[in-house]
Amino acid sequence: MSVEVEPLGEGLLVLRFGSGIDPAVNARVHAAADVLGQHALRGVDDLVPAYASLGIRYRAEAWLTTDRPPWQALAAAVQALLDGTAAAAAPAPRTVEIPVCYAAAHAPDLAVVAAQAGLPASEVIARHCAPLYRVAMLGFAPGFPYLIGLDPALHTPRRADPRTQVPAGAVAIGGGQTGIYPRALPGGWQIIGRTPQVLFDPGRQPASLLQAGDGVRFRPIDAAAFEQALPT
């Protein structure tokens, strides 16, 4: 598995598998994260997948040698592991179903997305619920999933005037991405629905409902079901 390796400071190595938002590239990122996670290299504290890169947080003292910097020693070990598993397929992702209420009270930008796509709102909802998305990465805020796999017809630019507060559970579209706000936050994505699911709870283990690499499928629910499912 050919990758570009770049050190960032003394404790972070970045593996670059390509660029942009590409499902095939992202699948390689998660396959590499799975391989490295299974082998538990010494001194490695965390693996951080992104769309096209994988961050490796490590302790430099675990890779001290007399002939090269620690990052080069770790990079060589990482490359050897990835080369040895070049033909390995990415593991089947866990699939999490997320209920979403697309009623007008929770979908202030659904009409904007429908107009942009030239589709009725019902077709936007159907297309939004159709794919099995993949959590390409977590970022922006704890537990915020960036989901890959949005129907190209639904790609919609971010709002020109971002909101100062988006409610927790808001399901939104930003360009070619869709995601879920885990808590009340400022945001500029187009809100097309809301889930009663709690995306992030620091008192839960794990705190984030979704993990990078998970599969996600949206299921439409009505307003009554939404209210009933809200946490007490």
Side-chain angles (χ1 to χ4, degrees):
M1 185 181 291
S2 176
V3 298
E4 295 181 10
V5 182
E6 178 183 356
L8 291 180
E10 294 185 351
L12 181 65
L13 201 65
V14 177
L15 311 184
R16 300 191 189 282
F17 295 82
S19 59
I21 300 175
D22 182 324
V25 171
N26 188 249
R28 293 179 64 204
V29 171
H30 289 288
D34 184 66
V35 168
L36 299 179
Q38 289 182 25
H39 285 80
L41 288 168
R42 70 178 186 274
V44 172
D45 292 327
D46 197 12
L47 299 169
V48 186
Y51 271 119
S53 64
L54 176 64
I56 303 175
R57 297 188 188 278
Y58 69 101
R59 284 168 276 121
E61 61 270 23
W63 292 91
L64 289 174
T65 68
T66 57
D67 60 339
R68 55 185 172 178
W71 77 266
Q72 289 185 355
L74 174 58
V78 166
Q79 189 65 67
L81 277 177
L82 298 184
D83 288 346
T85 56
R94 180 182 69 140
T95 297
V96 180
E97 185 179 84
I98 301 291
V100 179
C101 179
Y102 294 93
H106 302 300
D109 300 322
L110 181 58
V112 172
V113 174
Q116 171 83 19
L119 298 168
S122 59
E123 180 64 17
V124 171
I125 295 169
R127 293 191 183 213
H128 191 252
C129 291
L132 175 61
Y133 297 95
R134 186 176 188 126
V135 181
M137 64 178 187
L138 299 172
F140 169 57
F144 185 103
Y146 286 84
L147 304 177
I148 201 167
L150 181 66
D151 186 321
L154 305 186
H155 292 190
T156 310
R158 293 170 171 81
R159 290 170 53 86
D161 54 338
R163 294 181 170 90
T164 57
Q165 182 164 296
V166 171
V171 176
I173 289 174
Q177 308 166 91
T178 187
I180 310 167
Y181 287 82
R183 55 179 296 185
L185 292 164
W189 288 20
Q190 309 282 355
I191 301 172
I192 63 168
R194 190 179 176 194
T195 180
Q197 293 277 63
V198 176
L199 270 288
F200 186 83
D201 179 354
R204 190 172 59 193
Q205 189 58 246
S208 179
L209 174 66
L210 300 174
Q211 307 301 320
D214 280 349
V216 170
R217 193 178 296 282
F218 293 122
R219 174 174 58 85
I221 59 174
D222 60 23
F226 173 84
E227 295 295 335
Q228 188 173 24
L230 281 174
T232 56

